[in-house]
Amino acid sequence: MTEKAGSKAFEDVPKAVSRRNFIKGVITSGVAVSSASYLFRASSLLQGQQSTAGVGERLITLNVNGQQRRVDVMRQETLAWTLRYKLGLTGTKLGCDRAECGSCTVLIDDIPYYSCSVLTHTVRGRKVVTIEGLAAADGTLHPVQQGVIDEQGFQCAFCMPGFIMTTVGYLKTNSNPTRQELAQGISGNLCRCQDYDKILTALMRGAENMRRSNLG
Amino acid sequence: MAVIRDVMPAFELFQPSSVADAQKLLEQHGPDAWVLAGGLDSFDWLKDRIRKPKAVVDLSGIEELRSVRTTGDGIEIGAMTTLTEVVNHPIIKQKYGLLAQAAELVASPQIRNQGTLGGNVSQDTRCWYYRGGWPCYRAGGNICYADTPEGRNREHAILHADRCVAVNPSDSAPALIALDARFVLRTPKGERVVDAEDYFIGPEIDITRLHILQPGDLLTAIRIPSTWAGAQFYFEKIRDRNVWDFPLMNVASAMVTSGDSIERIRIAVNGAAARPLRLKAVEDAVRGKPRNTATGEMAGKLAVQGAVPLQFNAYKIPLMRNLVKRAISGVEEATWAS
Ligand SMILES: Cc1cc2nc3c(=O)[nH]c(=O)nc-3n(C[C@H](O)[C@H](O)[C@H](O)COP(=O)(O)OP(=O)(O)OC[C@H]3O[C@@H](n4cnc5c(N)ncnc54)[C@H](O)[C@@H]3O)c2cc1C
Ligand code: FES
Ligand code: FES
């Protein structure tokens, strides 16, 4: 760690920085910590304890499910990792960690992304929504979630959060899709139990629920 | 097969907000730096610990790299424009639909939301020996594992192989070559503009890279001239699954006809060699000819001249012949021949 490291909290560095500041401030080194120790640090952080030097510059604020969450994030950490292991949002699943299955899909500014393949530090200032963020405050399920329950769309449901997040994102661009269009829209999600037909029926029901709830 | 091994090894992360700042960082860190666009190629290398850059320079905060502008003669697409943005852009759709078609066939919706056009043309090969970290020619070693009697080479090259038999995996590249695009580079010596086909290189020029970028260089934009705006376009991609899979082969053509004869044409294929191939000989041979099955067949045969199959990829020769034929004479007239 150089003397520059602690000079500026990472989240205070605006995106457009002067050259001097960006050399001084944004140059931050990925702190070498073992996975065991950083997990320990993360959990103590969640309990509100102060942590050791180096954390300041990695401590960032993320907008997740409408809340501002302070979290200690390594430079090389993926969003899926932060969500699951730092923020306790384990509804986001890690299937492949390689952008090849879709189970980690979350919305970033309303667009579906594979969170296993996004660096957490690149979503500062953006709006992240996970499966935990869909239901209303009073517990009423999101219309797409309700559609999935109504149709019993999934089997083991490991892939379900990813499918639902992709669908919610897709419906923002096309609220009244044909079955074929929605199939295309969710084609970046795999199910290993593989009843895609049933999944699609459930998500179509979700889309219909959504149109209805928007009317009502 | 990918293995999840907790997180990537540590690196420094830089998030410049201008091309000039990015260049300074690249200069400062030299070969230890890694340019990060959408990350969908990059993260594999980092997660597998095959590449261990000390400094990752994330281009996502550079606004000037992310836009589509109309210019005096055509359009200019910033390198960080996502594939989804390319697919949905009204002018690209309307005038340069070949590129929109190609981009729409890349990978999956989520990958297109994140993957950039600059990254798509700059991505590395998918040869699994190389990506698996085997010390092959391309990785600086002395052997090509794919080109051995037991090598798995169904996806590999049939043309212009030189020690290494890997192919370029990009879907957008042949479309950009057919549209006669120019790639705009920012090098330590200044701006450099090259023809799309000259951006890509084969193993005979540099066996370790698929393109001309040197450490410190950035691809900033891709310019498409209006020369082929609204021409007749053909793009076809052959892959195993309809989502995620890289092209076994693809073909892109832009054609202008007068009456029933081919007035001008540009055509390129990818998945056949280490670089996307512009088929200049085919273009010359079909110019002035009627656009029909006979011309298509002649073009297909010409296209595969000199092709050398490996143990498991001989199918690529008739595949390429037929794709070229279809790109020229149209699908209705085409029939499959082996
Ligand atoms: C599961 C999967 C399936 C895929 N299927 C397909 C497919 O079918 N067809 C297809 O064409 N692609 C496919 N891809 C590739 C994907 O589209 C590319 O990985 C992606 O386009 C690369 O773009 P990126 O923005 O993610 O770049 P990155 O991964 O960030 O970058 C790719 C490479 O280019 C360099 N680079 C990127 N931008 C610049 C720049 N502006 N200047 C200098 N260097 C730069 C990087 O340093 C890196 O070496 C697939 C990828 C995955 C993970
Ligand atoms: S875990 Fe991200 S796509 Fe599979
Ligand atoms: S329901 Fe089991 S993986 Fe999809």
Side-chain angles (χ1 to χ4, degrees), chain A:
Chain A
M1 199 61 6
T2 66
E3 67 281 5
K4 286 165 190 161
S7 66
K8 210 158 176 85
F10 197 70
E11 79 273 24
D12 289 342
V13 181
K15 273 220 156 166
V17 286
S18 75
R19 220 168 56 71
R20 189 172 50 85
N21 274 350
F22 116 83
I23 302 270
K24 276 179 78 175
V26 186
I27 298 177
T28 47
S29 60
V31 181
V33 285
S34 76
S35 47
S37 75
Y38 87 76
L39 275 175
F40 169 71
R41 283 153 51 126
S43 56
S44 58
L45 198 84
L46 289 175
Q47 286 150 27
Q49 293 171 16
Q50 272 301 316
S51 201
T52 48
V55 170
E57 48 145 18
R58 307 194 314 187
L59 193 59
I60 61 176
T61 302
L62 294 180
N63 180 337
V64 181
N65 297 333
Q67 292 177 324
Q68 300 295 324
R69 302 282 304 260
R70 297 277 285 171
V71 57
D72 173 20
V73 178
M74 293 174 291
R75 302 294 164 245
Q76 72 273 27
E77 192 169 313
T78 63
L79 181 57
W81 194 275
T82 309
L83 292 171
R84 285 181 57 82
Y85 305 123
K86 301 282 180 70
L87 298 178
L89 297 170
T90 53
T92 299
K93 303 300 178 195
L94 265 170
C96 65
D97 199 32
R98 291 305 165 103
E100 288 173 20
C101 77
S103 63
C104 64
T105 304
V106 302
L107 301 185
I108 302 173
D109 290 341
D110 287 344
I111 297 174
Y113 284 86
Y114 295 142
S115 63
C116 70
S117 301
V118 171
L119 288 184
T120 307
H121 276 283
T122 64
V123 303
R124 277 174 296 131
R126 300 173 71 187
K127 218 174 74 215
V128 178
V129 178
T130 71
I131 190 79
E132 290 90 345
L134 289 185
D138 67 358
T140 309
L141 291 179
H142 185 280
V144 175
Q145 290 176 306
Q146 193 57 52
V148 161
I149 288 185
D150 294 345
E151 296 287 341
Q152 290 289 297
F154 291 85
Q155 297 179 58
C156 82
F158 184 86
C159 65
M160 181 183 69
F163 269 100
I164 293 181
M165 296 316 293
T166 307
T167 304
V168 172
Y170 178 79
L171 292 174
K172 289 182 195 285
T173 63
N174 177 4
S175 61
N176 193 4
T178 64
R179 205 174 159 86
Q180 184 53 38
E181 283 168 345
L182 187 59
Q184 194 70 30
I186 59 169
S187 61
N189 290 72
L190 287 183
C191 168
R192 35 177 204 189
C193 304
Q194 298 203 343
D195 191 345
Y196 290 112
D197 204 49
K198 217 165 163 216
I199 293 175
L200 194 52
T201 302
L203 297 174
M204 282 298 281
R205 168 83 84 104
E208 194 188 318
N209 288 348
M210 216 166 142
R211 289 193 297 277
R212 247 194 243 124
S213 69
N214 286 347
L215 283 179

Side-chain angles (χ1 to χ4, degrees), chain B residues 11-88:
Chain B
F11 49 70
E12 294 180 8
L13 178 65
F14 300 90
Q15 300 187 291
S17 55
S18 73
V19 171
D21 285 348
Q23 275 195 293
K24 297 232 167 56
L25 283 164
L26 293 176
E27 207 175 313
Q28 207 175 316
H29 292 273
D32 290 331
W34 182 278
V35 174
L36 182 70
L40 290 161
D41 182 15
S42 301
F43 291 138
D44 274 356
W45 295 108
L46 308 184
K47 286 177 179 177
D48 284 333
R49 286 125 168 96
I50 294 168
R51 303 282 163 79
K52 293 175 195 149
K54 295 207 177 78
V56 170
V57 179
D58 166 27
L59 304 183
S60 69
I62 307 181
E63 277 307 313
E64 58 190 296
L65 290 181
R66 190 168 178 167
S67 65
V68 182
R69 294 174 287 277
T70 49
T71 62
D73 176 39
I75 53 166
E76 181 172 294
I77 308 171
M80 289 297 289
T81 308
T82 68
L83 296 168
T84 297
E85 286 162 352
V86 166
V87 171
N88 291 333

